[in-house]
Amino acid sequence: MELHDRQYTMAELTARVNELYHKSQAEGLSEEEKTEQAKLRQAYVANIRNNLKGQLNNISIVEKDGSVTNLGEKFGGKENGKEKS
């Protein structure tokens, strides 16, 4: 699996990372596979971070006075309900 221009699903990334991990434990990896494993892990972590940011940006808190604070607008990458560019 190459990481060129194609977007991989989390299931595909996870499956390949696990496959390479098990191979590394059983017989070791070639330098090319080690490089692929590092890139896949980076892509996996970036995907997790983006998903978490997206979830956190959509959290709103109702304050004691009844006002609503949108945490994405206050702390995250959102302005008035839209992602900052």
Side-chain angles (χ1 to χ4, degrees), residues 7-77:
Q7 294 291 324
Y8 291 95
T9 66
M10 282 299 285
E12 291 172 322
L13 282 174
T14 304
R16 184 62 178 154
V17 166
N18 288 337
E19 180 182 332
L20 289 171
Y21 169 75
H22 291 295
K23 183 177 180 187
S24 74
Q25 297 298 304
E27 61 192 77
L29 298 176
S30 68
E31 288 304 315
E32 184 177 299
E33 289 170 325
K34 287 178 185 178
T35 301
E36 178 187 5
Q37 184 182 42
K39 288 180 182 178
L40 288 168
R41 285 179 173 167
Q42 288 175 343
Y44 178 84
V45 170
N47 196 319
I48 294 292
R49 284 184 181 139
N50 286 336
N51 287 341
L52 180 59
K53 285 179 186 176
Q55 290 175 7
L56 293 175
N57 282 342
N58 288 312
I59 293 175
S60 295
I61 296 176
V62 178
E63 304 291 347
K64 289 181 182 180
D65 65 1
S67 64
V68 177
T69 301
N70 182 311
L71 295 182
E73 291 173 6
K74 185 173 182 179
F75 299 109

